[in-house]
Amino acid sequence: MRKITVKVCQGTTCFVMGGEIIKSMLNSLEEKYADKIEISSVRCLGACDKSDSFSKAPYIMVDDEIISSATLEKVVTVIERKLKNDQ
């Protein structure tokens, strides 16, 4: 089974809007998902450039899917959907 990659944007806007807090909470979930996910920080996903405003930060990428206005719940929902689809 392949690992799902989770990239948390640490650009200034995403950091200020809670990206680091979400990353900390995701790190605590790594035990639940064992070897199924890989969580990392990235300097910037560049998603703000593609958006109408910065108000949709923080951004988190799960595989190739960008989640705007990310919350822990949104990210976990996407992770679980992808794990289910991989079975």
Side-chain angles (χ1 to χ4, degrees):
M1 176 185 274
R2 71 174 185 85
K3 280 191 176 184
I4 293 172
T5 59
V6 180
K7 296 178 182 177
V8 181
C9 183
Q10 294 295 294
T12 303
T13 303
C14 288
F15 184 86
V16 170
M17 297 294 285
E20 181 61 27
I21 294 168
I22 294 171
K23 183 175 184 296
S24 295
M25 290 187 280
L26 283 170
N27 285 337
S28 68
L29 292 176
E30 278 187 306
E31 185 176 313
K32 175 182 178 182
Y33 295 109
D35 294 330
K36 299 175 185 173
I37 64 171
E38 181 178 329
I39 300 167
S40 63
S41 295
V42 294
R43 186 181 170 291
C44 184
L45 289 171
C48 291
D49 294 341
K50 298 174 182 122
S51 161
D52 293 338
S53 68
F54 295 114
S55 64
K56 295 183 181 179
Y59 291 95
I60 296 178
M61 181 180 281
V62 179
D63 285 340
D64 59 350
E65 184 176 338
I66 292 183
I67 302 167
S68 60
S69 301
T71 63
L72 180 62
E73 293 79 16
K74 284 182 178 181
V75 176
V76 170
T77 298
V78 172
I79 290 169
E80 289 179 347
R81 175 175 41 85
K82 288 183 175 285
L83 287 172
K84 183 178 178 183
N85 289 341
D86 280 354
Q87 292 180 357

